[in-house]
Amino acid sequence: MLRFIANRLLAMVLTLWAVSFVAFAIIQLPPGDYLTTYVATLSANGDRVDPATIEALRRQYGFGEPYLVQYWKWISGILTRGDFGQSFEWKAPVTTLIWGRLGNSILVEGLAVLVMWFIALPIGIYVAVKKYSLGDYLATVGGFIGLAIPNFLLALLLMYLSFVWFGTTIGGLFSPEYESAHWSIPRVMDFLSRAWAPVLVLATAGTAELIRILRANLLDELKKPYVTTARAKGLPEWKVILKYPVRVALNPLVSTIGWLLPALVSSSVIVSVVLNLPTAGPLLLRSLTSQDMYLAGAIIMLLGVLTVIGTLISDLLLAWIDPRIRFGGK
Amino acid sequence: MTMTHPLQGKRPAGIAIGAITAALMLNGSALAQYQQAPELDALVSSGALPPVAERLPANPLVIEPVDSVGTYGGTWRSALRGGLDNAWIARTVAYDGLVRYDREWKEIIPNLAESWEVSADARTYTFKLREGLKWNNGTPFTSADIAFAVELFAEPSYGGGTFMKNPNNPVTVEVIDDTMFSFVFEHPNGLIMDDLASVNGLTVVSLSKDYCSQFYPKYNPDAAANAKAAGFETWELQMTDRCSWATETIRWANPDLPMMNAWMIDDPLTGDATRASFKRNPYYWKVDTEGNQLPYIDRLDMRVSDSLEEITLMALNGEIDFQDRHIATVANQPLFFDGQEGGDYRLGANVPSSMNTLVLQFNLNHVDEKRRELFANKDFRIGVSHLLDREEIIDVVFTGQGEPFQAAPRPESPFYDEEMAKQYTEFDPDAAAAAFERAGLSKGGDGVYTFGDGSPLKVTIDLISSFRSEWVDMMELMQLQLEAGGLDIELNNIDRTLYYDKRPLGDFDAQVWQGDGGLDVVQEPRYYMASGGESVWAFRWQAWYNGSTPEIAEEPAEWAAEQMKLYSQLREEGDPAKRSELMTQILALAKENFPVIGISLPGEGYYIAKNNMRNIAEPMLHAYLYPTPAPYDPFQWYFAQE
């Protein structure tokens, strides 16, 4: 087991290095750089920027150096000092910008994952056991509607309805009085009173997928002889299903936990913009459009880290629920 | 040798500034007693703040309220779109330069500077600051602060583009005493007062020497090391972070940075802020006609929202007290009109400075010889203009608001010329056909025009839908109209960066943009002459004129070169009447040569104001350089108690 983990850790480091290299390259692919965007905005507004100033700024920011030099500066800053560089647009160190927003992302999206599992697991088990029943069809239709409605549309719909019915605008994660307060019971309540909307929107999207996977896997398992044997031995029905087939059917779900967080972050960008959530998504979008490369690079890098950590967790979980994994390859 | 106030805005007409200043000063000194907001009373009696008379300068600026003297109190709620919407803060909080524009956008009037003198050669500008001005932390605002800003910007490695950093006309400061100083330019500068009165003029008054010199190695030998320790690679980066200038967003993230504005930072606008707020500056140096220290409103509260939908709903729900930015779109107008009663707000009018909803710019400097020749042919552009059914576009896209209009000064502008605005705007396919014939195009059997030599002619027009969504609607209609007339048109919807990168390459047929320069004709002549990088129709001519990118520069056509000569004279001209005369000549050349094609005059804009918010002028002129509503003095707005 230790050797298994050590191997995984080594692979993680290499993966992260590759992610950082590719991420940095992709961000630099579009024509121009942050200063092009900056000058474009200024001159579109009627301001004039002197070419000599731009040259000075270009030197100050280190633009125009070869890609590898820029990359080396960036990555060595992260490794030696934990310094992710400067956000050009915010004129501030990247590290001061991302932690709060990343925390919000993990909080909201983590809740969405929990809700998604909480809804999908019981339904998935139910529809597998009661195959082709009315409940099966209802759950399937409902799940597919959730999958089919674009997230931003559902978000808009919720905003509109809560405005028309309750006269409130749901946006953000806190009411004004709790925004900068410390965590407390009332703040948690306030958070929940607002966060339900984005959590619901994000959770509906993945529910159908989970239900279908679980249903298909469970149907395969339910036909197997060991289930019949367990039934024949007189085990209560709930125990027959929950103790063995469900555990096996969870395998593919658990092995993709690692992809959940990055998938949620990327799928939640537009929802976050529509619902004005202070998460990492809008910051990433904005930094990409303005070519604020160190900020964008840092967020992509951290998403990479999340994926890799998630994958490690799912491997460990898998090894725990399915002993075959531990001995795999031997 | 020197004349007093010869430069009073763009129009020569109007009341002399000297007289206004004298009247205000008299009025100011006649006020024996000043009053302050009740929330400051306790601070004064506890000794935390000096009494109001000591906080105000010797002659505070007396502001005539728009309707009536107001009452203190209240919070003005609005919203920023995302965290980098500094323009809204500039428009509400930050417009306090040495001088400012009046509410008609005609005169330049005193502000921090109570008077100024200009030398006859328009090279030396001497300002007199109000006696006893203070930053919001109580330290004096003096000539030294101005000199510090200019000195800092003179650092080659520091600063953005302003008149202080113009290598073609460098400036130095001569400090005479605490309140008197002069800008001395190497060459005559006729436009500097407009620069100072516009939103760009804030740079020079935005840095407190007392606070900001600690980040500058010239005054603090440890500055570079301190910057490194604080996580910045260079002192310049730390300076931009702590002491950003003018209206840069990051300026509102540092509550320690001294300000001269009516409101000062309460909740800073940092990268992860969801709200930014401002509170009353107890040292603000303006009073109303009864001696009440301004501002009337206690606080400004700005929701930071990436979501236009959220801001729109907030406005409908009565959670916005005043706003026009972002939400006051054509599409939203019926919605906001219907929601007035429910949201307890009203709609007020504003006049955009923009003169056109869309300007179609053919590339007169195309790298392809045949295309260049065609696009540079005035008859070709006349033909295109006659093929456009502008009434249809106005009806379909702008619900009937606006009128057909070329790229020409707005009717409200003193430079308005009806003939220039209306020439070639009638929908007339026959006239178009005749014009194309004169331009040497020939029509094939399928009714589609080709080059004279029979080679196919497809014109590609670049546009960015993300900047103005109505451009796509307009361009699709225009495409149909032009194709009905026999021109093969392709629309190329691209990203904004690519849009800009194509310009120097010169390999594009046409691009579109909005009609800047409707009221700010002199400051923004991009469509009347090849003045700068936004003159896309003649990018290589402007490169020749500005000398910034010699590798692509091309000598302009004779008429365009003549315009550039006139504009250079205008820049150095001290007399406003002569400047107007020169601008009129430039416009006459533009009218004759018809470089770009306009579509329609934008309809009146609007703003949303809470019903009990008073003293808001109507209509307001709306522009970037004239940062509406700031010139209408939001610090004298107030909430009526009902």
Side-chain angles (χ1 to χ4, degrees):
Chain A
M1 190 69 188
L2 274 180
R3 201 171 139 190
F4 173 76
I5 295 179
N7 276 339
R8 304 299 295 169
L9 287 177
L10 187 67
M12 273 170 70
V13 174
L14 288 174
T15 316
L16 284 179
W17 173 75
V19 166
S20 74
F21 193 80
V22 174
F24 202 74
I26 291 176
I27 293 162
Q28 298 220 341
L29 273 185
D33 51 37
Y34 166 68
L35 283 176
T36 326
T37 326
Y38 177 67
V39 174
T41 318
L42 286 185
S43 65
N45 282 338
D47 201 350
R48 270 175 293 275
V49 189
D50 169 62
T53 311
I54 294 302
E55 220 24 68
L57 287 172
R58 215 172 273 282
R59 270 198 306 277
Q60 187 180 326
Y61 290 145
F63 293 154
E65 289 172 1
Y67 166 71
L68 282 177
V69 175
Q70 292 194 36
Y71 173 74
W72 174 247
K73 268 191 176 171
W74 181 62
I75 201 75
S76 63
I78 296 176
L79 290 178
T80 55
R81 289 167 275 136
D83 173 9
F84 283 83
Q86 195 83 5
S87 159
F88 303 133
E89 208 159 30
W90 285 98
K91 313 256 187 304
V94 166
T95 32
T96 60
L97 291 172
I98 46 179
W99 293 118
R101 287 198 165 236
L102 214 60
N104 285 340
S105 276
I106 293 176
L107 184 65
V108 174
E109 276 129 23
L111 274 178
V113 171
L114 286 183
V115 170
M116 189 164 87
W117 281 58
F118 193 74
I119 299 175
L121 286 187
I123 296 183
I125 296 170
Y126 174 82
V127 295
V129 175
K130 309 264 180 195
K131 190 168 58 158
Y132 304 137
S133 67
L134 179 66
D136 181 13
Y137 288 122
L138 281 181
T140 305
V141 170
F144 276 99
I145 289 177
L147 186 68
I149 296 180
N151 283 349
F152 77 92
L153 191 67
L154 190 57
L156 281 177
L157 210 67
L158 280 181
M159 280 178 100
Y160 175 74
L161 291 180
S162 82
F163 168 68
V164 173
W165 289 345
F166 308 115
T168 55
T169 40
I170 46 166
L173 291 175
F174 298 101
S175 349
E177 59 270 31
Y178 288 108
E179 245 157 36
S180 45
H182 288 288
W183 281 106
S184 60
I185 302 285
R187 191 170 191 241
V188 172
M189 298 310 290
D190 181 66
F191 170 76
L192 291 179
S193 76
R194 295 209 167 218
W196 64 268
V199 166
L200 195 68
V201 169
L202 292 176
T204 48
T207 312
E209 202 180 334
L210 269 184
I211 293 177
R212 298 312 287 178
I213 295 175
L214 191 62
R215 181 178 183 275
N217 287 332
L218 202 51
L219 281 177
D220 285 347
E221 292 300 318
L222 286 176
K223 288 187 211 121
K224 290 199 172 154
Y226 72 90
V227 179
T228 319
T229 314
R231 266 206 200 102
K233 293 223 168 185
L235 224 57
E237 183 66 16
W238 64 267
K239 209 168 176 181
V240 171
I241 291 167
L242 288 189
K243 185 131 187 175
Y244 302 107
V246 167
R247 199 165 150 183
V248 178
L250 278 178
N251 182 321
L253 296 183
V254 172
S255 60
T256 53
I257 285 182
W259 308 342
L260 268 177
L261 271 177
L264 274 171
V265 172
S266 54
S267 74
S268 73
V269 172
I270 299 178
V271 175
S272 295
V273 171
V274 170
L275 287 173
N276 186 29
L277 309 180
T279 57
L283 199 63
L284 174 63
L285 186 67
R286 171 82 207 173
S287 61
L288 285 175
T289 50
S290 66
Q291 306 208 17
D292 194 348
M293 60 180 184
Y294 293 125
L295 183 55
I299 299 176
I300 292 181
M301 186 72 202
L302 288 170
L303 288 183
V305 172
L306 284 182
T307 317
V308 171
I309 292 177
T311 312
L312 180 71
I313 293 175
S314 70
D315 283 349
L316 295 178
L317 276 178
L318 219 50
W320 173 65
I321 63 168
D322 190 344
R324 286 173 299 179
I325 306 279
R326 262 173 280 171
F327 308 110
K330 283 198 187 150
Chain B
M1 178 67 200
T2 59
M3 348 179 253
T4 309
H5 319 311
L7 292 174
Q8 282 139 20
K10 299 186 299 295
R11 295 186 203 183
I15 319 155
I17 287 298
I20 292 183
T21 320
L24 292 180
M25 280 166 65
L26 196 75
N27 201 352
S29 58
L31 295 162
Q33 197 71 45
Y34 294 117
Q35 293 85 40
Q36 63 186 354
E39 64 170 347
L40 297 177
D41 290 344
L43 289 169
V44 172
S45 54
S46 77
L49 266 185
V52 61
E54 291 173 28
R55 300 199 306 268
L56 287 168
N59 59 332
L61 180 54
V62 180
I63 298 290
E64 180 90 38
V66 168
D67 293 321
S68 56
V69 168
T71 49
Y72 288 113
T75 299
W76 165 8
R77 296 162 302 166
S78 63
L80 300 172
R81 184 171 183 197
L84 290 156
D85 192 9
N86 53 351
W88 181 243
I89 303 181
R91 287 167 180 275
T92 50
V93 177
Y95 182 61
D96 263 318
L98 284 175
V99 290
R100 57 195 277 139
Y101 285 119
D102 68 354
R103 292 173 193 163
E104 317 248 86
W105 202 359
K106 287 183 181 162
E107 308 275 342
I108 290 173
I109 55 174
N111 201 45
L112 285 162
E114 60 181 25
S115 64
W116 58 92
E117 287 182 3
V118 187
S119 67
D121 62 359
R123 282 186 53 225
T124 308
Y125 288 73
T126 305
F127 291 86
K128 166 106 178 66
L129 297 170
R130 282 166 209 285
E131 181 89 46
L133 287 167
K134 292 183 184 66
W135 295 94
N136 65 343
N137 61 1
T139 57
F141 175 92
T142 67
S143 306
D145 294 308
I146 307 281
F148 176 78
V150 175
E151 175 186 33
L152 179 62
F153 271 64
E155 288 283 343
S157 59
Y158 194 73
T162 72
F163 77 93
M164 293 187 278
K165 222 178 166 62
N166 181 354
N168 299 323
N169 194 2
V171 64
T172 50
V173 183
E174 283 171 11
V175 173
I176 298 161
D177 59 32
D178 271 0
T179 55
M180 300 261 289
F181 66 91
S182 311
F183 291 132
V184 183
F185 292 90
E186 200 170 295
H187 308 292
N189 190 337
L191 293 176
I192 181 62
M193 291 311 294
D194 273 309
D195 256 343
L196 289 174
S198 78
V199 70
N200 297 338
L202 302 173
T203 314
V204 73
V205 296
S206 57
L207 301 174
S208 152
K209 181 179 183 182
D210 185 50
Y211 176 78
C212 295
S213 58
Q214 61 175 308
F215 307 111
Y216 191 13
K218 196 166 176 179
Y219 292 93
N220 178 1
D222 302 331
N226 290 349
K228 272 248 189 294
F232 298 91
E233 241 170 85
T234 59
W235 70 264
E236 288 95 339
L237 287 175
Q238 187 178 28
M239 181 69 93
T240 10
D241 180 72
R242 296 282 83 190
C243 274
S244 201
W245 62 88
T247 62
E248 291 274 329
T249 306
I250 194 67
R251 184 170 171 79
W252 317 108
N254 178 11
D256 297 333
L257 180 60
M259 312 255 164
M260 294 300 288
N261 310 126
W263 295 280
M264 55 194 196
I265 301 169
D266 195 8
D267 296 319
L269 180 58
T270 52
D272 53 2
T274 49
R275 176 169 305 276
S277 71
F278 298 83
K279 61 184 177 190
R280 167 191 307 286
N281 169 8
Y283 288 93
Y284 199 55
W285 37 278
K286 294 181 185 174
V287 295
D288 69 12
T289 43
E290 290 180 5
N292 297 303
Q293 190 192 19
L294 296 167
Y296 291 132
I297 293 177
D298 288 338
R299 288 176 62 84
L300 267 58
D301 206 345
M302 299 176 186
R303 171 83 169 148
V304 179
S305 178
D306 280 301
S307 166
L308 280 188
E309 291 75 18
E310 190 194 18
I311 305 178
T312 309
L313 282 179
M314 282 171 70
L316 284 172
N317 211 15
E319 295 168 36
I320 297 264
D321 296 304
F322 177 93
Q323 182 132 358
D324 54 8
R325 195 170 166 76
H326 304 307
I327 51 173
T329 59
V330 177
N332 276 349
Q333 198 161 7
L335 189 69
F336 283 132
F337 185 81
D338 291 343
Q340 289 183 87
E341 203 175 326
D344 190 28
Y345 60 80
R346 64 180 188 270
L347 301 189
N350 60 33
V351 178
S353 73
S354 167
M355 48 74 178
N356 225 297
T357 49
L358 180 146
V359 176
L360 177 57
Q361 310 181 63
F362 285 102
N363 181 5
L364 273 53
N365 302 157
H366 205 296
V367 285
D368 178 69
E369 198 57 48
K370 226 161 43 176
R371 284 174 187 263
R372 176 202 311 230
E373 198 187 316
L374 178 66
F375 298 148
N377 190 321
K378 181 183 164 191
D379 282 317
F380 172 73
R381 299 192 299 272
I382 291 175
V384 170
S385 186
H386 276 309
L387 274 186
L388 296 172
D389 184 352
R390 292 175 169 81
E391 292 293 352
E392 184 186 36
I393 297 172
I394 293 168
D395 284 345
V396 173
V397 184
F398 298 103
T399 58
Q401 294 184 61
E403 52 176 300
F405 215 76
Q406 293 291 8
R410 283 185 68 93
E412 295 86 356
S413 162
F415 294 108
Y416 177 62
D417 171 352
E418 186 171 349
E419 204 184 320
M420 180 178 187
K422 296 294 179 182
Q423 61 179 351
Y424 319 123
T425 53
E426 65 276 21
F427 172 55
D428 188 346
D430 295 336
F436 286 146
E437 197 174 315
R438 287 198 303 277
L441 293 178
S442 45
K443 208 166 197 174
D446 54 357
V448 177
Y449 280 103
T450 62
F451 282 104
D453 60 9
S455 54
L457 168 62
K458 185 194 243 324
V459 180
T460 307
I461 303 175
D462 297 338
L463 71 147
I464 326 174
S465 60
S466 56
F467 189 66
R468 291 265 181 282
S469 55
E470 66 263 23
W471 282 352
V472 179
D473 302 335
M474 295 178 76
M475 284 306 307
E476 280 174 355
L477 274 174
M478 287 161 64
Q479 183 183 25
L480 290 176
Q481 294 168 356
L482 291 174
E483 283 180 346
L487 267 190
D488 191 3
I489 300 290
E490 183 177 81
L491 300 184
N492 185 27
N493 189 352
I494 53 177
D495 172 73
R496 188 159 169 177
T497 324
L498 184 57
Y499 208 71
Y500 278 86
D501 276 12
K502 284 178 93 167
R503 294 175 178 179
L505 301 178
D507 188 16
F508 61 94
D509 294 345
Q511 292 196 339
V512 304
W513 200 256
Q514 64 193 4
D516 297 69
L519 291 171
D520 38 356
V521 179
V522 177
Q523 297 98 319
E524 189 42 87
R526 60 170 76 159
Y527 298 120
Y528 311 129
M529 59 172 289
S531 61
E534 292 295 318
S535 303
V536 183
W537 54 278
F539 200 82
R540 297 183 170 217
W541 293 353
Q542 68 82 25
W544 181 85
Y545 178 49
N546 289 308
S548 48
T549 35
E551 62 277 12
I552 58 161
E554 258 175 40
E555 194 170 331
E558 213 172 296
W559 62 272
E562 174 67 19
Q563 284 184 318
M564 293 169 184
K565 215 172 81 197
L566 290 167
Y567 200 73
S568 298
Q569 282 174 30
L570 182 153
R571 273 184 209 259
E572 300 196 346
E573 180 54 62
D575 180 357
K578 286 193 187 139
R579 280 209 305 273
S580 293
E581 168 54 31
L582 288 165
M583 194 66 215
T584 310
Q585 291 179 37
I586 294 173
L587 290 168
L589 282 166
K591 172 174 154 187
E592 188 192 328
N593 291 283
F594 188 54
V596 297
I597 300 167
I599 306 300
S600 68
L601 189 70
E604 210 168 61
Y606 62 100
Y607 61 79
I608 285 176
K610 208 73 177 173
N611 281 328
N612 64 344
M613 205 161 183
R614 298 290 151 79
N615 277 353
I616 306 177
E618 194 188 327
M620 293 195 264
L621 303 174
H622 199 280
Y624 168 76
L625 294 169
Y626 183 74
T628 328
Y632 299 93
D633 305 334
F635 45 77
Q636 52 88 48
W637 294 357
Y638 71 100
F639 290 102
Q641 273 124 18
E642 285 160 272

